[in-house]
Amino acid sequence: MSLSNLIQNWNSFRTRRPYEGQYDDAPYKWAMVIDLDACIGCNACTVACYAENNLPVVGKERFGKGQAMHWIRIERYWGEGDAMTSEFPDHGAQYLPMLCQQCEAAPCEPVCPVGATHHSPDGLNTQVYNRCVGSRYCSANCPYKVRYFNWWNYPDRAWPNPLELQLNPDVTVRSKGVMEKCTFCMQRLRAGMDKAKTEGRILADGEVLTACAQACPTSAITFGNLADKKSKVARMWKNQQVDLAKDSQEKSEEGIRGYRILEELNTYPSIVYLERVRNLEA
Amino acid sequence: MNYGKRIFLWIVLFWIGSAQVFAEPFVQGGPIGSQTSDGYDALGPVVEQPIEFPHNTHAGRMQINCMYCHTYARRSNVSGIPRLDKCMGCHNLIEGVKDRPRIKKLFEYWENKQPIPWKKVHDLPDFVRFNHERHIQRFYFQEKRPVREVCGYCHGDIASMTTARRVKALSMGWCVSCHQKDHLEKAGSTVTSHGPNDCWLCHK
């Protein structure tokens, strides 16, 4: 970055993000809503992500060491109410799909020594594999633990011939020593945005979906453009009374389920979860 | 050490330091297969095509639009290498040149039902996305600049070559050098803007 560029954009570098109305003039701000009441823990989103984003299957042993490369994982929590002591403890299983929260004030971004991760104009937390030197500082600083490091050169073994033909050509096959993370299926968004720009419009709601949202059988994952006030995701954020630029959400009444994970850390995530509701007496 | 000597020493040190720090690794332009002093293939490997296709005849003398053959440039990421039947569509009807050695070779491929194994000249790394469509739509269709100029930004003056060869570095710094320039937003307007510089625009 040149000095003149830095001086010219000084204000935007010094502004605290996010702020109210940050994306009012922007065409895109990608966001998500995940309804935990609808999630049945089937792992279809994880499988779709593996297929779409060239994720290697690392095997049982490395999975046990915590080296799995799943950009979206289903976290299980047990024991709602007195379910654990009952005859059917599975009754109390809860599922939570955990993926990169695309934080507006992402803890991973400022700590990268080489600037391999930065914030894109459409509100995504990007990772550039070529620039990454593998310091793993970003992963250490991520409170959600959704950054994954390539401890091995997986392309050698993960796709033996002819399985390499299944690889998605629009996504880089990462090599040993780089960090990777959920991109909100940037390759799909980019193709859609380029097409829309040629046609002189912005993307319509639901025109492009992430692989996980597309695969979800119960439509628990809603993906869309938060900058477009009429999009489904923007209406859900509004109905759930979640504001992107606030770190604690005031609800006007009981029973509004929307929340963001670890909001008290001031990360301002782009994913809203809808709390699970169960009638334990039933 | 007196003052003059010290200044002289600093100038020498600075000259040595700057020569190492600012050494330019890429050579822009140059003859086919040229390399930099440290052996870097600035312009890609030497490519020999199965048929020495005369771009200078087609695009230069005959003034055929690049996109008559490279049809996908205006609607897709890649510009595409034309299929053999695109060549035959015209050359079947051009009796005058059928006895030329290159055209004979073309008909050989056609009769053997073999595609011509063209080799890629402008090959980008696998981690880079370049969208032909956006560049062509913006500069050719919106701004109505001449096609030789628009394609030439990255490909050089292909219409003066026989087989295409790389004359631009196609490195990231080279791409960014154009994206940083102030371009006119529309032909004839005074408003300028520069190209997008988001990492994920090109890195995938």
Side-chain angles (χ1 to χ4, degrees), chain A residues 1-19 22:
Chain A
M1 179 171 300
S2 67
L3 188 64
S4 62
N5 201 349
L6 191 69
I7 293 167
Q8 197 185 341
N9 298 320
W10 186 247
N11 271 344
S12 72
F13 281 110
R14 299 303 304 161
T15 309
R16 189 173 170 276
R17 288 163 186 276
Y19 51 88
Q22 184 181 342

Side-chain angles (χ1 to χ4, degrees), chain A residues 15-244:
Chain A
T15 309
R16 189 173 170 276
R17 288 163 186 276
Y19 51 88
E20 286 293 337
Q22 184 181 342
Y23 289 102
D24 281 359
D25 299 330
Y28 301 109
K29 157 69 197 163
W30 303 110
M32 206 177 249
V33 177
I34 299 179
D35 188 350
L36 298 183
D37 225 358
C39 178
I40 53 170
C42 69
N43 273 305
C45 48
T46 312
V47 174
C49 187
Y50 267 77
E52 173 74 21
N53 291 306
N54 299 341
L55 301 184
V57 178
V58 297
K60 195 175 174 183
E61 193 190 329
R62 285 176 194 159
F63 196 105
K65 290 178 183 167
Q67 296 174 2
M69 305 299 289
H70 42 211
W71 287 0
I72 178 169
R73 60 175 189 257
I74 303 289
E75 292 185 348
R76 283 177 305 177
Y77 296 97
W78 300 96
E80 200 175 14
D82 54 0
M84 279 303 272
T85 54
S86 73
E87 192 184 347
F88 306 105
D90 287 5
H91 184 69
Q94 296 185 63
Y95 306 105
L96 185 138
M98 177 51 84
L99 64 158
C100 175
Q101 306 286 307
Q102 313 285 358
C103 310
E104 273 301 312
C108 52
E109 283 171 15
V111 297
C112 180
V114 292
T117 174
H118 88 305
H119 220 68
S120 80
D122 33 14
L124 294 182
N125 176 251
T126 67
Q127 176 75 22
V128 180
Y129 308 121
N130 308 79
R131 188 161 270 214
C132 179
V133 294
S135 77
R136 315 198 304 281
Y137 200 165
C138 53
S139 173
N141 225 29
C142 174
Y144 307 98
K145 290 289 161 277
V146 285
R147 286 179 157 267
Y148 301 95
F149 186 67
N150 283 277
W151 291 98
W152 307 90
N153 200 22
Y154 293 112
D156 289 348
R157 273 163 290 178
W159 301 284
N161 188 289
L163 284 184
E164 81 275 7
L165 296 174
Q166 66 153 358
L167 292 171
N168 184 349
D170 294 334
V171 181
T172 306
V173 177
R174 282 81 55 183
S175 58
K176 182 178 176 177
V178 298
M179 192 61 76
E180 59 185 63
K181 65 179 277 292
C182 164
T183 64
F184 267 8
C185 288
M186 194 55 206
Q187 64 283 6
R188 294 181 174 204
L189 295 175
R190 179 58 61 201
M193 286 193 281
D194 282 345
K195 180 167 165 272
K197 194 165 186 193
T198 299
E199 290 165 13
R201 60 185 176 91
I202 67 162
L203 275 177
D205 194 24
E207 196 176 334
V208 177
L209 289 179
T210 59
C212 53
Q214 190 184 13
C216 184
T218 58
S219 304
I221 302 176
T222 311
F223 176 79
N225 180 8
L226 198 62
D228 172 14
K229 296 275 177 269
K230 289 175 190 156
S231 70
K232 196 179 173 195
V233 82
R235 279 183 283 130
M236 283 173 97
W237 276 57
K238 201 176 169 212
N239 292 343
Q240 297 297 332
Q241 300 180 357
V242 182
D243 192 324
L244 185 71

Side-chain angles (χ1 to χ4, degrees), chain B residues 65-133:
Chain B
N65 191 309
C66 305
M67 285 183 284
Y68 181 77
C69 301
H70 301 282
T71 44
Y72 303 108
R74 60 180 177 275
R75 52 184 182 222
S76 140
N77 275 3
V78 292
S79 63
I81 297 297
R83 301 184 317 196
L84 187 48
D85 59 347
K86 177 76 84 176
C87 310
M88 296 304 293
C90 295
H91 276 281
N92 251 337
L93 305 171
I94 307 174
E95 295 293 338
V97 293
K98 274 190 179 170
D99 53 341
R100 307 266 174 92
R102 287 189 293 222
I103 307 297
K104 275 185 183 163
K105 225 171 168 182
L106 173 73
F107 274 83
E108 235 169 71
Y109 279 111
W110 177 249
E111 275 147 26
N112 294 336
K113 296 191 184 350
Q114 292 286 321
I116 304 175
W118 298 114
K119 286 178 189 146
K120 205 166 179 180
V121 178
H122 295 86
D123 194 13
L124 289 177
D126 286 347
F127 50 79
V128 174
R129 171 195 298 114
F130 175 82
N131 193 337
H132 275 88
E133 179 188 5

Side-chain angles (χ1 to χ4, degrees), chain B residues 138-181:
Chain B
R138 161 86 194 266
F139 293 113
Y140 182 72
F141 288 103
Q142 276 179 25
E143 298 191 7
K144 315 247 183 280
R145 300 194 195 182
V147 70
R148 246 173 107 164
E149 179 194 322
V150 173
C151 300
Y153 295 148
C154 304
H155 295 289
D157 194 15
I158 298 278
S160 65
M161 307 173 192
T162 52
T163 49
R165 56 189 163 83
R166 257 166 81 166
V167 290
K168 309 276 181 171
L170 304 190
S171 65
M172 179 174 148
W174 177 81
C175 292
V176 171
S177 72
C178 196
H179 273 232
Q180 277 182 334
K181 277 183 204 152

